[in-house]
Amino acid sequence: MSDHFVRRDGALHAEDVAVADIAQRFGTPCYVYSRATLERHYRAFDQALAGVPHQVCYAVKANSNLAVLQVLAKLGSGFDIVSAGELRRVLMAGGDAARVVFSGVGKTAEELRFALEQGVGIFNVESESELRRLDAIARQLHTRAAIALRVNPDVDAKTHPYISTGLKQNKFGVDLVTAERLYLEATHLPGIQISGIASHIGSQLLDVSPYLDALDRVLALVDRLAAKGIEFEHIDVGGGLGVRYRDEQPTEPEDWARAFLPKLAGRNLKVMTEPGRAIAGNAGILVMRVELIKHGETRHFAVVDAAMNDLLRPSLYQAWMDIVPVQDNTAAKPATYDVVGPVCETGDWLGKDRELAITEGDLLAVRTAGAYGFVMASNYNSRGRAAEVMVDGDHAHLVRARETFEDLVRGERVLP
Ligand SMILES: *Cc1c(COP(=O)(O)O)cnc(C)c1O
């Protein structure tokens, strides 16, 4: 899906705002998001499923900035959350608890209670212990929790091992045999109301075949349970559709929906989906400045003011992310650079072997940094986290101030 970051006369723009102006105003490093891109991607999912009852639940963990959640909430998006903190963000941003799906393998009793009190729509339960815990808490609160079991269909999503979740050796979900037993048990739990069945097999999936394999296995279970009198209102097909970082050709939401919807024909199931990366990924960039250029014996280094603490994907997954100049520098001689941060780790790099024409002081942008970017940032090396800016047409809004030193040491104490 295309985005609204475009070059005009050699200058990168976010919608109608020059990125260099944003850097000037808010400093670097700085994440810049495009409202129009977020909206386009949400609508792509919404329209792909328009022919059936459905609910798109944006996966908050991909980018949980309040303004991002607000933009999506205004479009009627639901939200997939994995913690009470994410629920509080959704509520603060104007999201509707009834359209929230609560996922995650380790929900605490406090989190479950809070979510029930707030009226969370669906709990995607990932273990027998969680099912019993949720039942007990719902009964204490004189309510019933609407659930789906997250089943693990044991299919290989053929993605990076750290973001593959649907294999039986992964910690997520319950296997199909256990799921069958737990659904039957759940019918006797007064605090539990069975609503649906869920699976999510991994992230950055480029192809629909793992979805189709997973769906076949899930639907076979749906049929076995139907024979035992258990009927579902919804099916949650998870998230995970990939984005283009380099030359990948991810399936578009429309083609993804066209591929799997026929399998659901005649079943009367509301379709839920939890896209994160596909909505937020190319709706954001990370803007950084070249602090200094260093010529080693065998390599050239562009040392920038962003680092692995700002954007972990290259270090964590050896992810290739595109790095482009914010403004063409016609005076500079092109050379091959390793783009590295100032953090004291050899793994602190954002890109290797990049052909760039730059001089010290130039601005660079990492493309497709809107998902799993800022949310994975840390304060390693006592670095404050970057500012976040949302562009809306010809306006740039600061949606998170850069962290100050005072922010960093808040809560710390020296001994008396
Ligand atoms: C992370 C996650 C998602 C979103 O995955 P993306 O690859 O960002 O689309 C959806 N559902 C669950 C349960 C998740 O853990």
Side-chain angles (χ1 to χ4, degrees):
M1 293 188 281
S2 58
D3 60 57
H4 291 264
F5 293 94
V6 286
R7 284 196 104 70
R8 287 189 207 115
D9 299 327
L12 184 65
H13 283 68
E15 302 188 19
D16 297 325
V17 183
V19 171
D21 291 347
I22 297 174
Q24 180 68 33
R25 215 174 126 198
F26 301 106
T28 53
C30 165
Y31 277 93
V32 178
Y33 308 128
S34 153
R35 178 177 187 167
T37 310
L38 288 167
E39 293 182 338
R40 172 187 286 182
H41 295 351
Y42 171 81
R43 290 200 177 105
F45 280 95
D46 197 36
Q47 284 161 13
L49 298 173
V52 295
H54 69 276
Q55 185 175 307
V56 178
C57 295
Y58 166 68
V60 173
K61 75 175 189 285
N63 184 327
S64 58
N65 183 281
L66 289 175
V68 170
L69 303 181
Q70 174 195 25
V71 162
L72 295 170
K74 279 187 191 295
L75 297 179
S77 183
F79 295 94
D80 173 68
I81 60 161
V82 294
S83 69
E86 287 190 350
L87 175 55
R88 293 181 65 173
R89 284 179 174 274
V90 167
L91 299 174
M92 211 171 179
D96 178 1
R99 281 201 281 250
V100 166
V101 174
F102 195 171
S103 302
V105 299
K107 307 175 191 81
T108 66
E110 293 73 43
E111 287 180 313
L112 292 173
R113 183 171 296 112
F114 178 65
L116 278 168
E117 286 165 354
Q118 298 300 319
V120 158
I122 303 288
F123 292 81
N124 277 358
V125 172
E126 301 210 19
S127 64
E128 176 162 11
S129 296
E130 183 189 338
L131 183 68
R132 298 194 178 284
R133 180 181 277 186
L134 181 60
D135 170 56
I137 296 168
R139 280 189 285 146
Q140 280 166 15
L141 296 176
H142 307 289
T143 185
R144 297 184 90 186
I147 66 132
L149 286 180
R150 174 169 175 185
V151 302
N152 185 331
D154 192 24
V155 298
D156 186 353
K158 298 193 177 58
T159 185
H160 190 285
Y162 284 9
I163 50 178
S164 176
T165 59
L167 284 168
K168 62 179 175 230
Q169 65 262 35
N170 297 133
K171 68 179 176 179
F172 300 101
V174 293
D175 64 84
L176 293 161
V177 174
T178 307
E180 187 164 346
R181 173 171 65 76
L182 291 185
Y183 272 119
L184 293 168
E185 281 180 35
T187 60
H188 304 293
L189 299 176
I192 298 292
Q193 180 205 325
I194 296 171
S195 173
I197 188 162
S199 73
H200 169 75
I201 52 174
S203 197
Q204 185 58 7
L205 309 191
L206 298 172
D207 178 287
V208 292
S209 60
Y211 282 101
L212 300 179
D213 293 347
L215 197 54
D216 284 338
R217 293 178 183 208
V218 170
L219 289 175
L221 175 59
V222 169
D223 291 338
R224 289 198 293 281
L225 288 164
K228 293 178 176 168
I230 294 178
E231 297 284 346
F232 294 117
E233 286 160 33
H234 84 263
I235 184 164
D236 182 339
V237 298
L241 266 195
V243 298
R244 175 185 304 200
Y245 289 104
R246 188 174 199 169
D247 50 10
E248 302 91 334
Q249 299 281 352
T251 306
E252 300 276 323
E254 190 187 345
D255 298 320
W256 163 82
R258 193 178 299 133
F260 79 80
L261 283 178
K263 292 186 185 290
L264 301 179
R267 284 181 178 272
N268 199 22
L269 289 168
K270 175 176 171 180
V271 177
M272 314 227 331
T273 180
E274 307 159 348
R277 189 188 310 268
I279 288 182
N282 70 4
I285 61 174
L286 172 62
V287 182
M288 58 207 186
R289 196 174 289 281
V290 179
E291 279 296 321
L292 27 102
I293 287 178
K294 184 172 164 177
H295 300 288
E297 228 169 274
T298 56
R299 304 188 83 81
H300 303 296
F301 296 99
V303 185
V304 295
D305 61 2
M308 64 187 287
N309 76 295
D310 300 299
L311 181 62
L312 189 59
R313 297 189 67 260
S315 304
L316 183 62
Y317 311 120
Q318 285 73 54
W320 192 97
M321 301 180 76
D322 198 13
I323 299 176
V324 299
V326 167
Q327 251 160 338
D328 290 351
N329 183 340
T330 45
K333 208 163 91 237
T336 304
Y337 291 96
D338 284 356
V339 180
V340 302
V343 162
C344 299
E345 294 279 346
T346 303
D348 179 30
W349 51 273
L350 297 171
K352 287 187 174 165
D353 295 320
R354 303 307 173 88
E355 181 86 355
L356 292 165
I358 47 173
T359 46
E360 291 182 355
D362 281 4
L363 294 165
L364 295 173
V366 184
R367 302 289 315 256
T368 314
Y372 307 104
F374 183 92
V375 285
M376 293 176 114
S378 77
N379 295 122
Y380 189 39
N381 280 208
S382 284
R383 292 168 50 86
R385 285 179 294 172
E388 292 177 285
V389 171
M390 172 95 65
V391 171
D392 183 6
D394 57 5
H395 276 71
H397 304 274
L398 183 66
V399 294
R400 192 180 207 275
R402 180 179 311 286
E403 273 180 337
T404 63
F405 176 73
E406 287 66 36
D407 293 330
L408 259 58
V409 293
R410 179 174 304 130
E412 288 187 45
R413 299 280 185 280
V414 293
L415 295 177

